[in-house]
Every structure is written in C-alpha cells, then in structure tokens.
C-alpha cells in the first residue's frame, strides 16, 4: 500500500477532510470554503487533478512520496497540512530518511514550510 492510499484511502479521492486530521491528531484549521467561481485556487488547496481540495497539499505530498522509487511507504509516518505548512507526524528509522521526506515535501508546489517537531527518530 502506498502513502496516498494508506493516508487518504482509494487514491485520495475520498476522506479528504477527515482522513489526516483524525489519524494524526493534528489540530485542524477552520474549514476553508472553495474560492468564488473564476477565482484562482490557493496553491495549498489544489487537489491531485487541479480541483479545489481542502487537503490538496497533503495529498500531493503523499503522491510525491509514492512517486519516489527510493522511498518506501513508512507506516509510522503521516502527512497532514495546516494551511501551506506540511505537517509530518510519527516516527522514522533514521535522520537521513527524515531529511529525504522533508526535502521532497518542500519541493511540492504550495508548501511554504515543513513541520517535523512531531516526528521521532529511531
């Protein structure tokens, strides 16, 4: 099972708003409404297919993890977002792996920061 499927279920199309917040116990931000029709979607709210998605950034980060052939799904690490900040929570086996996921997360369009204070190593 890959990152996207494990965190969001069935490729991320369902469970968009509840999936990560309930699994990670990250404080959820107030639900944002879709921008008025014709207005641009904020980069952190762009979904996997360009649509408005409250958890778009977290899903695209999970997809980026899936697309990196050197990065296996780490079942003890979760991805969420608070606005344009990617939030990682859980544990990783070593610092090198944490550095790699942080680098990938930072490279995703719309990510302005990556929070790792809820990640343990070892």
């Amino acid at each position: 099972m890959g990152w996207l499927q494990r965190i969001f279920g069935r490729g991320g199309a369902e469970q968009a708003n509840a999936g990560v917040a309930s699994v990670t116990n990250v404080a959820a931000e107030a639900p944002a409404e879709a921008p008025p029709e014709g207005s641009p979607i904020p980069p952190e709210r762009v979904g996997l297919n360009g649509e408005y998605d409250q958890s778009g950034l977290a899903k695209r980060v999970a997809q980026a993890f899936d697309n990196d052939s050197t990065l296996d799904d780490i079942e003890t690490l979760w991805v969420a977002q608070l606005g344009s900040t990617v939030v990682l929570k859980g544990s990783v086996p070593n610092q090198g792996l944490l550095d790699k996921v942080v680098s990938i997360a930072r490279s995703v369009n719309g990510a302005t920061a990556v929070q790792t204070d809820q990640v343990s190593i070892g």
Side-chain angles (χ1 to χ4, degrees):
M1 177 181 314
W3 290 88
L4 192 59
Q5 184 179 2
R6 175 175 58 86
I7 296 172
F8 293 99
R10 291 209 234 168
E14 288 107 33
Q15 303 173 6
N17 294 327
V20 171
S22 64
V23 170
T24 62
N25 295 321
V26 172
E29 57 187 88
E33 293 184 18
E37 194 167 323
S39 297
I41 300 172
E44 69 273 12
R45 301 293 181 216
V46 175
L48 296 173
N49 299 309
E51 77 286 2
Y52 178 86
D53 187 333
Q54 178 73 16
S55 299
L57 176 60
K59 287 180 182 178
R60 288 183 289 114
V61 168
Q63 185 176 52
F65 291 167
D66 280 336
N67 291 338
D68 188 310
S69 61
T70 65
L71 187 62
D72 290 331
D73 184 18
I74 304 165
E75 294 185 11
T76 56
L77 188 65
W78 298 91
V79 181
Q81 75 179 81
L82 291 173
S84 61
T85 299
V86 176
V87 179
L88 301 175
K89 182 176 180 181
S91 63
V92 293
N94 58 63
Q95 183 65 47
L97 190 56
L98 179 58
D99 293 344
K100 180 161 185 110
V101 297
V102 167
S103 175
I104 292 168
R106 280 191 180 129
S107 72
V108 174
N109 184 40
T112 59
V114 179
Q115 181 180 325
T116 61
D117 62 330
Q118 297 181 66
V119 178
S120 62
I121 298 171

